[in-house]
Amino acid sequence: MGGRSSSPLDKRQQQHLRGGLIQAPHCLLIPAGQVDALLRNFLPLYRGQLAASILKQISRELGPQELAGCQLLHSKKLPRVREHRGPLTQLWGHPPQWQPVFCVLRGDGRLEWFSHREEYENGGRPLGSTALTGYTILTSQREYLRRLDALCPDSSGDHTQEEPDPLLEMPVNFPLFLQHPFRRHLCFSAATGEAQRAWRLALQGGIRLRGTVLQRSQAPAALAFLDAIRLYRQHQGHFGHDDVTLGSDAEVLTTVLMRELLPELRAQTLPGLRGAGRARAWAWTELLDAVDAVVLAAASAGLRAFQNEKDELLAALERTIRPDVDQMLRQRARVAGRLRGSPRHPICGAPCRGDPGQCLPLSAEVQGPLESCLHRKVDVQLPRVTQTLLNTVEAALVAVQALLAQGMDRLSRHLRGKPSGVRLRKEVYSFGEMPWDPELMQTSYREAERSQGRLRQLVAPFGFLGTQSVVFGAQDLAQQVRLMADAVTTFLQLADQCLTTALDCNQAAQQLEKVRGRVLKKFQSDSGSAQKRFIRRWQICIFLPFVLSQLEPSCKAGLPEFEGDVLAVGSPALTIEGIYEDVIQGVLLQRIDRELKKALGASDVSCALDGCSEAPWDQEGADEETEAQRGTFSRQPGSCTEVQPLCLLPSPGTLRS
């Protein structure tokens, strides 16, 4: 099964796929220029969303900062996977055989495998490697074989007459099967159950890290890319959010195109595949892997070619939008008010700054169908979806808080026990590494997964197929974004401030207990805000595409009437479609916030666009403290005598190294 080092497509066939015609084995034909066609249709949307993203960023910078900043200090440690390596057995080669390999999981979520440990240690080239984006881990051989059998639905399912099957000839005691929808499967086996568990946890971390690279970013270009993908898919008739946006920009484009190609690939290829049953399924995964690799290379090349233009465009947009931002926002408010048929701001209710006489009543065209859709469809499921999302993130954060408290208590106990300097340094380092310890964080990650099946059932009628993204988002929130990693950073820096060399071990432990209380209070404050942002974001992802699809026939037809008002601004940052979607989202957010108040018992859940990260004119992180406000913490080297806290509690920079 191996990696991606070999391909059933020769160089001529790969070149055909990139720019002309691909003729793969078994007489597979793919129309010319598929990747080029995708980029031609996608890049104009991307350019438009870059402009919209810059306008949102500038408007947030210039607007009032009413929200309180985060209580926890922000961790500067980048999300990563704890590197893991060790011997495994892999099914690879032609014909496939179980052979020993030495595997290395890198901190960026890339898996490599070598023929033996010495080859890795001597800097040799790996036998194969793969980015873990999009893989699913299975530790049941029976379940993997069931899924393998389902890959070729036209197979008779009778495996009695097949050629010898390596998987059946050698039952696997501790398997690790990595399955991907468009790449060949990776089949590994560990020597013990303990090794299998360690690898499973490490690989899951790599899959999540690689999958959420765009979702974690708040850069305007990343936000614009995700919006452009959503618009592109809407133009293709796919309104529901799903897991297509997991991965880097090139990987996302590759997934989009592979999904478009899959029916044609199946129709042209499966009848001509040799073998039967599982051997045929393996041949199918190898062919998909070859096509996926060529598409990924072409998509990457296309985005690299666009990079210089994108950088220049972002700089030009910054120069042109900032001087005219007030005028653009006033015009946006006028058009939005007309769409709502009200002289007040369409979202927050504030009076429009434009001429109220221009706010023509159009509620019969927009408001009526919108309210009908929300009442008949969304309101029925909104309470249950809200509660399920709340259960998903709340349980994960409770588990994180318990881990955090245990880690801080452990440090206090070690101080009271007067450990050696070396031992205490080790404990401090382990505490700083908690967010990236897959074994420790497993409890929190598992809690985030418990509601996945229930959520999938609730949101399927709305076309939402992104429950894996929801789980990854909750797990990322628990690990890195302002919570676990930030709490650890806050504890270490506050402890560094209050501990001095004049304290004995008991006094130092008492100071740590005070810091513990402060950090837990800060954590509870930030986690409450994070829950609201998380739920609001995913409620919008679930319901907004569905509502837009329901309103598509009746409401979009009247939008050209407002085109002249938007074109008068003369900037691609404002479009009538974008304003229309903002209006729909604002009305939906009002319902979401009312339900959140009920579910959380909150007295004040803002429904204004300026107060939530899911709304068009806000950016998560805008309310964070600046580095100057947080302060810096210098350290002086010294030798440990009894406690020496300044050298016992390393700075975040020390921990990063």
Side-chain angles (χ1 to χ4, degrees):
M1 307 280 286
R4 308 195 64 166
S5 55
S6 61
S7 170
L9 306 181
D10 60 28
K11 291 184 179 180
R12 178 181 58 82
Q13 294 163 345
Q14 295 179 32
Q15 291 171 355
H16 282 317
L17 177 58
R18 292 189 184 97
L21 182 72
I22 175 175
Q23 181 165 354
H26 316 293
C27 300
L28 170 65
L29 297 177
I30 297 178
Q34 291 280 12
V35 178
D36 289 343
L38 171 64
L39 290 171
R40 281 196 304 271
N41 293 325
F42 171 76
L43 289 180
L45 298 174
Y46 193 12
R47 294 184 184 98
Q49 291 308 304
L50 285 170
S53 186
I54 291 295
L55 175 60
K56 294 173 187 178
Q57 182 186 47
I58 294 174
S59 66
R60 284 190 294 268
E61 293 174 0
L62 300 179
Q65 300 297 320
E66 298 178 354
L67 295 179
C70 294
Q71 297 295 310
L72 295 171
L73 301 175
H74 184 58
S75 171
K76 295 181 180 180
K77 297 179 71 173
L78 296 176
R80 59 181 171 82
V81 178
R82 178 175 285 185
E83 185 169 297
H84 192 79
R85 53 183 179 267
L88 291 173
T89 304
Q90 183 183 16
L91 186 69
W92 66 287
H94 296 280
Q97 299 180 35
W98 288 101
Q99 303 180 47
V101 292
F102 186 79
C103 291
V104 179
L105 175 61
R106 302 292 188 180
D108 62 354
R110 173 170 290 275
L111 181 66
E112 300 176 346
W113 51 97
F114 301 80
S115 59
H116 46 75
R117 178 189 292 269
E118 290 73 19
E119 185 177 0
Y120 159 70
E121 293 176 344
N122 293 333
R125 296 187 62 180
L127 294 172
S129 67
T130 188
L132 290 176
T133 311
Y135 280 97
T136 301
I137 300 178
L138 298 173
T139 56
S140 166
Q141 186 174 9
R142 181 186 298 273
E143 173 63 15
Y144 172 69
L145 292 177
R146 185 188 68 78
R147 295 194 184 192
L148 194 64
D149 294 339
L151 284 179
C152 299
D154 57 338
S155 175
S156 65
D158 181 9
H159 307 297
T160 58
Q161 302 301 320
E162 294 180 18
E163 298 178 359
D165 191 330
L167 284 173
L168 296 181
E169 287 182 342
M170 182 181 295
V172 183
N173 292 325
F174 305 106
L176 291 159
F177 297 109
L178 290 170
Q179 185 182 20
H180 193 283
F182 306 123
R183 299 180 189 172
R184 68 182 72 194
H185 301 170
L186 302 174
C187 303
F188 297 100
S189 173
T192 65
E194 181 180 359
Q196 180 197 49
R197 173 180 170 80
W199 271 108
R200 176 176 61 83
L201 296 179
L203 291 169
Q204 286 174 339
I207 293 171
R208 183 179 65 256
L209 179 76
R210 301 287 306 199
T212 57
V213 61
L214 287 174
Q215 284 77 3
R216 290 193 311 269
S217 175
Q218 290 301 311
L223 299 175
F225 181 87
L226 292 174
D227 281 338
I229 286 292
R230 178 180 59 83
L231 291 176
Y232 173 83
R233 301 193 74 234
Q234 284 181 189
H235 292 170
Q236 303 292 317
H238 304 292
F239 278 84
H241 181 98
D242 60 18
D243 293 325
V244 72
T245 56
L246 293 177
S248 66
D249 49 4
E251 289 171 327
V252 169
L253 286 179
T254 298
T255 301
V256 168
L257 183 55
M258 289 298 293
R259 288 191 180 187
E260 294 177 6
L261 294 176
L262 192 58
E264 186 176 359
L265 288 170
R266 282 188 174 278
Q268 296 188 21
T269 304
L270 285 180
L273 284 177
R274 296 181 179 180
R278 290 164 189 153
R280 193 162 174 265
W282 285 343
W284 168 245
T285 64
E286 290 188 341
L287 180 62
L288 283 180
D289 183 86
V291 177
D292 180 89
V294 175
V295 172
L296 177 60
S300 299
L303 289 174
R304 284 196 302 271
F306 179 65
Q307 183 65 45
N308 288 338
E309 178 187 342
K310 183 181 74 173
D311 293 341
E312 294 174 359
L313 179 60
L314 286 171
L317 289 168
E318 173 74 20
R319 291 193 304 269
T320 57
I321 291 177
R322 190 172 291 275
D324 299 329
V325 64
D326 287 339
Q327 176 189 353
M328 296 173 66
L329 294 180
R330 283 196 297 269
Q331 188 67 3
R332 175 191 176 276
R334 291 192 190 101
V335 176
R338 292 182 62 191
L339 285 171
R340 284 289 305 274
S342 167
R344 302 185 69 81
H345 189 281
I347 305 304
C348 68
C352 286
R353 288 177 285 181
D355 181 4
Q358 295 184 11
C359 297
L360 303 178
L362 292 174
S363 58
E365 298 180 26
V366 176
Q367 191 72 11
L370 174 58
E371 289 294 333
S372 175
C373 173
L374 294 175
H375 178 71
R376 291 183 297 103
K377 305 282 186 168
V378 175
D379 290 348
V380 177
Q381 291 291 350
L382 186 57
R384 282 178 281 187
V385 173
T386 299
Q387 191 60 50
T388 303
L389 286 171
L390 177 59
N391 294 341
T392 298
V393 67
E394 188 174 43
L397 297 184
V398 168
V400 168
Q401 182 172 337
L403 286 173
L404 181 63
Q406 292 168 10
M408 292 186 291
D409 290 342
R410 188 166 56 249
L411 282 180
S412 295
R413 288 197 302 270
H414 278 290
L415 270 177
R416 291 185 185 278
K418 300 181 180 180
S420 66
V422 173
R423 175 65 184 275
L424 192 52
R425 283 176 180 274
K426 181 178 179 181
E427 292 298 330
V428 172
Y429 178 82
S430 296
F431 178 78
E433 286 291 291
M434 280 177 59
W436 292 273
D437 188 323
E439 184 67 41
L440 281 177
M441 295 296 295
Q442 177 61 18
T443 302
S444 172
Y445 296 161
R446 187 168 54 245
E447 291 293 342
E449 296 170 351
R450 291 189 185 278
S451 302
Q452 187 173 7
R454 167 71 171 161
L455 181 63
R456 185 182 294 114
Q457 293 177 351
L458 290 175
V459 299
F462 298 95
F464 183 85
L465 303 175
T467 52
Q468 184 62 69
S469 296
V470 176
V471 171
F472 281 170
Q475 292 172 340
D476 274 339
L477 181 67
Q479 180 195 43
Q480 173 67 17
V481 184
R482 295 183 177 176
L483 293 172
M484 185 56 150
D486 291 357
V488 167
T489 296
T490 304
F491 177 81
L492 291 177
Q493 293 199 8
L494 291 179
D496 191 37
Q497 288 178 305
C498 73
L499 297 181
T500 68
T501 56
L503 300 176
D504 61 26
C505 287
N506 286 332
Q507 291 171 330
Q510 291 173 2
Q511 290 296 322
L512 286 188
E513 289 172 2
K514 293 179 181 179
V515 172
R516 174 191 187 276
R518 293 176 61 188
V519 171
L520 288 179
K521 286 182 180 180
K522 293 175 182 290
F523 178 88
Q524 290 170 354
S525 174
D526 282 11
S527 63
S529 300
Q531 283 187 65
K532 296 172 188 177
R533 290 192 300 270
F534 178 88
I535 295 172
R536 293 172 108 244
R537 174 194 174 190
W538 287 109
Q539 293 276 45
I540 289 297
C541 288
I542 291 167
F543 293 115
L544 180 60
F546 172 78
V547 173
L548 291 174
S549 69
Q550 297 295 300
L551 300 181
E552 180 85 1
S554 58
C555 296
K556 291 291 286 291
L559 294 183
E561 179 182 345
F562 306 93
E563 198 73 47
D565 295 334
V566 175
L567 291 176
V569 177
S571 172
L574 280 186
T575 64
I576 184 58
E577 290 84 1
I579 298 173
Y580 166 75
E581 289 193 5
D582 289 345
V583 170
I584 303 302
Q585 178 171 319
V587 176
L588 181 57
L589 276 172
Q590 292 176 354
R591 273 177 159 78
I592 291 172
D593 289 336
R594 285 199 297 267
E595 194 57 45
L596 267 175
K597 287 182 181 180
K598 298 177 185 178
L600 296 172
S603 59
D604 182 23
V605 179
S606 172
C607 64
L609 281 181
D610 290 336
C612 64
S613 60
E614 301 78 15
W617 303 106
D618 188 63
Q619 177 183 13
E620 186 171 334
D623 57 336
E624 289 185 358
E625 297 172 329
T626 65
E627 290 301 318
Q629 290 171 322
R630 296 187 189 116
T632 57
F633 300 88
S634 60
R635 302 182 179 276
Q636 299 296 328
S639 60
C640 293
T641 54
E642 185 175 2
V643 178
Q644 290 292 343
L646 291 182
C647 65
L648 289 175
L649 298 178
S651 68
T654 303
L655 292 180
R656 276 198 302 276
S657 62

